[in-house]
Amino acid sequence: MPLSPVDGVPDPGGGDCVDCGRCCHHGPSTVHLLETDDARMGPLLLAEYTVLDHRPPGWRFVKNTGERCAALDVSVPGQYPCAIYAQRPEDCRIVEPGSPACLEARRLGHLGGSVGFVRAQPQPGEPGEREGSA
Ligand code: SF4
Ligand code: SF4
């Protein structure tokens, strides 16, 4: 379930992120990985938290659990830490606190469509584009 909207501009240093987690709520095949992300995560985390899209060109994405990223730790109600924060993909790093995508995610309760990152090679007929990431 998407979360409720959050008011206000967050701490640019990320101090509000664990209480927020809105940008980590999104549909499947949203957060894609680059080769550098693959290397940073390593085989164990890749196996647990990512999935290969077998459609060309074969992107790897973070897995979803329902309407949120599978790496989002929801074990404590109201807290949304990333279980793989140090190894999170570049897509996630792009959504900085206070950025347009962040503010939209807070307003919507989930990641929206205004994110500035776009697949390097959008595929014809694919909604391409990253709806965003976390
Ligand atoms: S939406 Fe913004 S404040 Fe919330 S977790 Fe994402 S970056 Fe942090
Ligand atoms: S991997 Fe990215 S989208 Fe998933 S919980 Fe971590 S920061 Fe959020």
Side-chain angles (χ1 to χ4, degrees), residues 23-24 26 31 62 69 71-72 82 84 88-89 92 134:
C23 63
C24 302
H26 48 64
V31 178
V62 295
C69 176
L72 192 63
C82 173
I84 55 170
R88 70 196 187 287
C92 306

Side-chain angles (χ1 to χ4, degrees), residues 9 27 62 67 115 118-119:
V9 176
V62 295
E67 297 183 18
V115 182
V118 175
R119 289 179 186 173

